[in-house]
């Protein structure tokens, strides 16, 4: 089963007026967070197993998924640290993907 790893830990400094209280992937488009839209696209291709690398304002993402009925989606939230760079985030979720093929994208 192919998994999708989504980076959701950046500060979103270029849109600071939106990301002061929420992480960039939680900005809503059409009433749903961008993160949901990304997951919906992957799901349309049969990828329903997600690992979300949390960082900045991780509590907002965790709160969303604690109250979210993910249906057929399996969602693992991994706190990969506030100041961790892309490669470090990938290293921190290594145990979740083992030697499997996976997709990797920015949130």
């Amino acid at each position: 089963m192919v998994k999708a790893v989504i980076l959701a830990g950046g500060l979103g400094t270029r849109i600071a007026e939106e990301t002061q209280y929420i992480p960039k992937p939680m900005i809503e488009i059409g009433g749903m967070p961008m993160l949901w839209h990304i997951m919906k696209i992957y799901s349309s291709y049969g990828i329903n197993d997600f690992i979300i690398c949390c960082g900045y304002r991780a509590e907002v993402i965790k709160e969303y998924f604690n109250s979210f009925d993910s249906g057929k989606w399996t969602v693992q939230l991994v706190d990969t640290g506030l100041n961790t760079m892309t490669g470090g985030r990938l290293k921190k979720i290594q145990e979740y993907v083992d030697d499997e093929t996976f997709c990797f994208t920015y949130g």
Side-chain angles (χ1 to χ4, degrees), residues 15 18-19 22-29 32-35 37:
I15 50 175
E18 293 289 330
T19 60
I22 62 171
K24 184 172 50 177
M26 296 305 289
I27 294 173
E28 290 189 3
I29 299 174
M32 297 299 283
M34 283 193 293
L35 185 56
H37 289 283

Side-chain angles (χ1 to χ4, degrees), residues 5-10 24-25 35 38 51-55 61 80 85-90 93 104-107:
V5 176
I6 303 172
L7 295 173
K24 184 172 50 177
L35 185 56
I38 294 167
I51 300 166
I52 300 175
C53 301
C54 301
I61 295 172
T80 55
M85 302 299 283
T86 302
R89 292 185 192 283
L90 184 56
I93 59 94
F104 188 61
T105 190
Y106 287 97

Side-chain angles (χ1 to χ4, degrees), residues 4-9 25-26 35-36 39 49-55 58 61-62 64-65 73-80 89 93 96 105 107:
V5 176
I6 303 172
L7 295 173
M26 296 305 289
L35 185 56
W36 179 88
M39 295 167 72
D49 195 357
F50 300 96
I51 300 166
I52 300 175
C53 301
C54 301
I61 295 172
K62 291 175 184 176
Y64 177 77
F65 282 102
W73 294 349
T74 301
V75 181
Q76 292 179 290
L77 303 172
V78 181
D79 189 351
T80 55
R89 292 185 192 283
I93 59 94
Y96 297 95
T105 190

